[in-house]
Amino acid sequence: MKFFIDTANLAQIQEANELGILDGVTTNPSLMAKEGIKGHDAVMNHYKTICEIVDGDISAEVISTTFNEMIEEGKKLADIHPNIVVKVPMIKDGVKAIKWFTDNGIKTNCTLVFSAGQAILAAKAGATYVSPFIGRIDDANWDGVELIAQIAHIYSVQGFKTEILAASIRSALHIVKCAEAGADVCTCPLDSILGLLKHPLTDIGLAKFLEDAKKTLG
Ligand code: G3P
């Protein structure tokens, strides 16, 4: 399973990258706004900087909602760097745009996916990634991890090549459950990635080893 970090915060991207386990980055307009990035050029430069930090797929989201506009916007995003993946919302024109990008050799991430039916459409259009938002599904009293398992089953039975990118991850446990359910990628906040490190027995065991090491070293 690949690990992406879900942020536009450069310090956090750098920190995750230095761990050596990072395979890519996802962003969205809300995450860009959170970093105070303002204006078209600033947004494009920010994507470029992220591409320079991380050697992996970097999702950059279109903010237009009609086919022609999405194509124009997506082409400009894809021109920033070969690792850019154009993130397209799961709407009718979005499906058409994903098909166009696929036919023209541009990688896509179909975002705002909340059902298996939407995941089938994304795969049929040839999306590189499909992003089910599991935390938001949990928020609505459904089971986000169950959706990952359902999509993984459908893609396996049908032989779809689209990778399942579990998004809207809220905890380390979400990552473990998504890995179990068959996600190809988890895109996570830094805290959830670092949360995987934590176990009290590791801390207790290490403290004891270090204490005993003092004895052997005198
Ligand atoms: O990748 C999608 C993600 O950014 C949404 O997360 O926490 O806003 O539901 P969240």
Side-chain angles (χ1 to χ4, degrees):
M1 187 177 77
K2 289 187 266 189
F3 271 91
F4 291 178
I5 187 165
D6 192 31
T7 186
N9 182 284
L10 297 180
Q12 291 186 13
I13 291 170
Q14 190 78 50
E15 186 176 339
N17 197 44
E18 282 166 9
L19 266 178
I21 51 91
L22 196 65
D23 301 296
V25 181
T26 53
T27 60
N28 62 40
S30 305
L31 294 171
M32 295 295 269
K34 198 171 157 194
E35 297 310 312
I37 318 289
K38 283 204 175 76
H40 174 266
D41 290 353
V43 169
M44 301 298 263
N45 281 334
H46 204 73
Y47 285 137
K48 191 165 176 283
T49 306
I50 294 172
C51 290
E52 283 160 3
I53 298 173
V54 178
D55 182 17
D57 282 351
I58 313 297
S59 287
E61 187 157 342
V62 297
I63 51 168
S64 43
T65 53
T66 63
F67 175 76
N68 287 332
E69 285 173 323
M70 278 191 261
I71 299 306
E72 284 318 304
E73 201 187 340
K75 282 196 287 190
K76 284 181 192 141
L77 289 170
D79 279 347
I80 296 173
H81 193 279
N83 289 349
I84 287 284
V85 175
V86 179
K87 205 170 174 189
V88 180
M90 171 40 76
I91 54 175
K92 197 171 171 188
D93 278 29
V95 172
K96 284 166 65 177
I98 288 168
K99 178 73 171 78
W100 189 93
F101 288 128
T102 305
D103 290 345
N104 287 275
I106 294 174
K107 286 187 181 184
T108 54
N109 173 357
C110 182
T111 189
L112 290 166
V113 166
F114 295 90
S115 75
Q118 292 178 322
I120 290 171
L121 269 183
K124 283 295 293 175
T128 315
Y129 299 103
V130 64
S131 286
F133 277 29
I134 70 160
R136 293 191 195 182
I137 292 173
D138 288 357
D139 292 344
N141 282 327
W142 290 315
D143 189 334
V145 171
E146 223 166 71
L147 177 61
I148 298 294
Q150 187 186 16
I151 298 170
H153 176 68
I154 292 169
Y155 280 13
S156 156
V157 167
Q158 297 296 332
F160 288 133
K161 299 281 176 275
T162 298
E163 292 186 51
I164 303 167
L165 194 169
S168 185
I169 296 270
R170 303 276 170 78
S171 65
L173 183 61
H174 260 160
I175 300 174
V176 174
K177 290 286 177 191
C178 285
E180 203 173 31
D184 299 291
V185 191
C186 272
T187 189
C188 329
L190 181 61
D191 281 354
S192 302
I193 299 175
L194 297 179
L196 292 170
L197 285 167
K198 289 184 195 151
H199 200 289
L201 291 178
T202 303
D203 299 338
I204 293 166
L206 181 61
K208 175 78 173 126
F209 284 157
L210 294 180
E211 192 188 310
D212 290 344
K214 278 186 210 151
K215 294 176 200 161
T216 59
L217 295 174

